[in-house]
Amino acid sequence: ISPVIEYAQLDGRPWFERYQPISNKIASRSGNWQELRDMVRTCNEANVKIYVDIVFNHMTSTLPSGTQGVAGSGADTEHKDYPVVPYTYRNFHNTCEILSYQDPIQVRNCELVGLHDLDHSQSYVRQKIISYLNTLLNLGVAGFRVDAAKHMWPDQLKLIYDQLNNLSMDAGFPAGTRPCIYQEVIDYGGEAIKASDYISLGLVTEFKYGMELSRAFRGKNLLKWLRNFGTAWNLMPSKFALVFIDNHDTQRSGGDILTYKDSRKYKMAVGFMLSWPYGTKRVMSSFDFSSRDQGPPHNPDMTIKEVTTNPNMTCNNGWICEHRWRQIYAMVRFADIVQGTSVEQFWDNGSNQIAYCRGNKGFVAINGDNYNLNQTLLTCLPAGVYCDIISGLKDNNKCTGKSIQVDNNGKAQIYMSILDEDGILAIHVQSKLS
């Protein structure tokens, strides 16, 4: 979930104001700490774990005098005085600009886009952060996304992580369970700071993953090359990687990154991600935007609009909710069912039509070419009729979308038209009709 720490209200209420903390209170446009506690409790009871985006590399930038936080907290941002925490200028690094990403001292001790940079070498600063994170753990959250981890020293982060509480037993977690931590380290190569500097501390974001898959599904690289997608593509080892097609930053940065705005190709890329055994996967859930800085859907008083849903579970009211798209939630289930299996029988047509098995549990076919796919392929599944989970669902022992007949040799005739809603097809052992 987005940052829950109190942040400054900026002109126009852009989405990124949530990344400018003004105090250490739990208060945001999404609600107060009691509402957060109730949401976390409800989610845990439904076996949905909550991971909070946390911002402690910095506080605000220098803002106009009188700027307040969403809960009314004030600060003298020009002089780095945040009385609610409290922090004074002595708790920050000296003001300097990051001019070279070849200099790790600049990257970690100077100000990221003018945001006042906290000095984590100070025990006082670390204890304030640890106290805040432990408050969230006591509410029942399961872990954290550490924003701007690249801009903090790994040894100082370790001092913080080592003093975090175990997950809350009151929230239903087993005794001694440690928080799951994943760290935002943007590493496309060519800089002094590497993602590998942080892998001993927890999971690390693998930004090259979404970039490479977006390029491939946009037709800028042949899908046939995906047969060895992973470390052979200069990605970090799978067990350390937190992977995604897009996130809240990259979906606004232009370039090749696929987003909900190019939904057919996007669903193919997300489907590949969820069917391929590499990394810990994260699915994006967005709100609609037409300009880069646009904040979430809101009422005239700037409160965030409710998420309303359709009978097919998709969202309205300005919310995109990619995680509720049938093609995506069906592939999340696919990922669970094939967990622990490897890719077998990878087939390609020499171009952008590919197919592969996940052990004897699942089968995926993708058509990224601009002509139909019509091929007899080995599915690695037992004989029977299977429902394609992309074009529909298995409902009352019937398929609401395509059905696939697998013969006694595990083979099936796979037909995918370029006119189909989706360019991906998937079946698994639990989509078989009885």
Side-chain angles (χ1 to χ4, degrees):
I1 60 173
S2 294
V4 297
I5 199 165
E6 186 187 12
Y7 47 88
Q9 299 185 65
L10 304 184
D11 283 348
R13 305 308 299 273
W15 65 269
F16 57 76
E17 69 179 14
R18 289 187 91 129
Y19 293 86
Q20 295 215 25
I22 199 167
S23 80
N24 56 355
K25 291 180 181 176
I26 295 174
S28 72
R29 287 173 84 179
S30 302
N32 57 31
W33 84 266
Q34 292 95 337
E35 290 164 321
L36 177 66
R37 177 197 62 197
D38 293 346
M39 186 200 79
V40 171
R41 181 182 298 149
T42 301
C43 289
N44 280 333
E45 287 170 355
N47 202 27
V48 174
K49 297 180 178 66
I50 298 295
Y51 302 89
V52 181
D53 196 351
I54 49 169
V55 185
F56 61 76
N57 170 65
H58 54 261
M59 298 295 282
T60 67
S61 57
T62 295
L63 300 173
S65 178
T67 299
Q68 289 192 329
V70 289
S73 297
D76 180 353
T77 59
E78 182 183 359
H79 298 102
K80 304 181 186 178
D81 186 31
Y82 298 85
V84 175
V85 182
Y87 288 139
T88 70
Y89 72 94
R90 294 184 183 89
N91 302 125
F92 293 83
H93 289 122
N94 292 330
T95 300
C96 53
E97 189 180 347
I98 301 174
L99 298 172
S100 170
Y101 274 82
Q102 300 305 323
D103 180 353
I105 296 175
Q106 273 189 44
V107 176
R108 290 173 173 148
N109 289 0
C110 291
E111 294 188 345
L112 171 65
V113 294
L115 297 161
H116 299 325
D117 200 69
L118 285 163
D119 182 356
H120 304 99
S121 71
Q122 298 180 23
S123 173
Y124 174 83
V125 171
R126 294 197 304 273
Q127 287 305 318
K128 286 292 181 185
I129 293 163
I130 292 161
S131 174
Y132 165 66
L133 300 183
N134 281 337
T135 297
L136 292 173
L137 289 169
N138 293 342
L139 286 181
V141 309
F144 305 108
R145 172 197 183 264
V146 180
D147 181 67
K150 169 181 176 175
H151 296 272
M152 295 179 274
W153 294 94
D155 58 332
Q156 294 169 7
L157 286 175
K158 185 177 189 309
L159 291 172
I160 293 169
Y161 301 163
D162 284 352
Q163 290 191 58
L164 297 181
N165 295 342
N166 291 330
L167 300 189
S168 167
M169 291 173 64
D170 290 342
F173 295 104
T177 307
R178 296 300 292 156
C180 175
I181 290 172
Y182 65 98
Q183 304 159 104
E184 185 205 19
V185 181
I186 302 173
D187 176 13
Y188 290 109
E191 296 183 8
I193 293 172
K194 309 292 182 197
S196 56
D197 299 344
Y198 296 83
I199 58 177
S200 66
L201 304 175
L203 297 175
V204 181
T205 51
E206 178 51 280
F207 277 81
K208 294 194 290 285
Y209 182 96
M211 180 188 73
E212 292 288 7
L213 285 185
S214 292
R215 284 179 50 77
F217 283 94
R218 284 193 184 279
K220 297 188 175 184
N221 204 348
L222 294 177
L223 297 187
K224 71 171 186 175
W225 300 125
L226 294 177
R227 65 172 51 242
N228 67 348
F229 189 63
T231 51
W233 289 57
N234 198 30
L235 304 182
M236 71 179 80
S238 173
K239 66 181 179 181
F240 302 124
L242 189 288
V243 299
F244 45 90
I245 302 302
D246 60 330
N247 77 354
H248 60 281
D249 282 318
T250 64
Q251 70 173 191
R252 290 167 167 79
S253 59
D256 290 328
I257 294 295
L258 282 168
T259 73
Y260 75 90
K261 292 174 184 281
D262 200 341
S263 64
R264 193 174 192 272
K265 291 174 180 173
Y266 183 73
K267 286 180 284 184
M268 292 163 70
V270 175
F272 178 86
M273 173 181 79
L274 291 168
S275 70
W276 195 258
Y278 175 89
T280 299
K281 297 127 173 45
R282 189 193 62 79
V283 171
M284 186 63 189
S285 188
S286 311
F287 57 81
D288 186 35
F289 64 92
S290 54
S291 60
R292 189 184 184 283
D293 296 345
Q294 184 178 332
H298 56 79
N299 301 306
D301 66 355
M302 301 309 284
T303 56
I304 292 180
K305 281 187 176 178
E306 292 289 315
V307 178
T308 57
T309 54
N310 300 308
N312 68 355
M313 302 209 311
T314 57
C315 296
N316 293 316
N317 234 8
W319 300 97
I320 301 297
C321 305
E322 294 93 327
H323 69 291
R324 284 176 165 264
W325 294 1
R326 182 192 67 247
Q327 298 89 337
I328 290 178
Y329 71 69
M331 288 307 294
V332 171
R333 181 156 171 71
F334 180 99
D336 286 340
I337 290 166
V338 304
Q339 195 166 5
T341 65
S342 58
V343 171
E344 295 172 23
Q345 300 295 330
F346 190 100
W347 168 88
D348 68 75
N349 70 337
S351 182
N352 293 306
Q353 295 179 353
I354 60 173
Y356 47 91
C357 307
R358 286 296 303 273
N360 59 358
K361 297 276 185 74
F363 168 80
V364 174
I366 295 173
N367 184 10
D369 277 327
N370 58 3
Y371 49 89
N372 301 342
L373 183 159
N374 192 10
Q375 192 80 25
T376 302
L377 295 170
L378 189 62
T379 68
C380 310
L381 293 171
V385 177
Y386 293 79
C387 297
D388 168 32
I389 61 171
I390 300 295
S391 59
L393 303 166
K394 177 177 142 185
D395 186 32
N396 287 326
N397 208 39
K398 291 195 178 81
C399 301
T400 64
K402 292 181 185 178
S403 56
I404 306 295
Q405 178 82 50
V406 175
D407 68 18
N408 290 329
N409 297 315
K411 291 184 176 180
Q413 187 67 25
I414 303 298
Y415 178 75
M416 301 174 70
S417 166
I418 57 168
L419 300 178
D420 288 346
E421 180 186 354
D422 291 297
I424 179 171
L425 174 150
I427 55 178
H428 55 66
V429 287
Q430 292 184 23
S431 75
K432 185 181 179 207
L433 299 183
S434 57

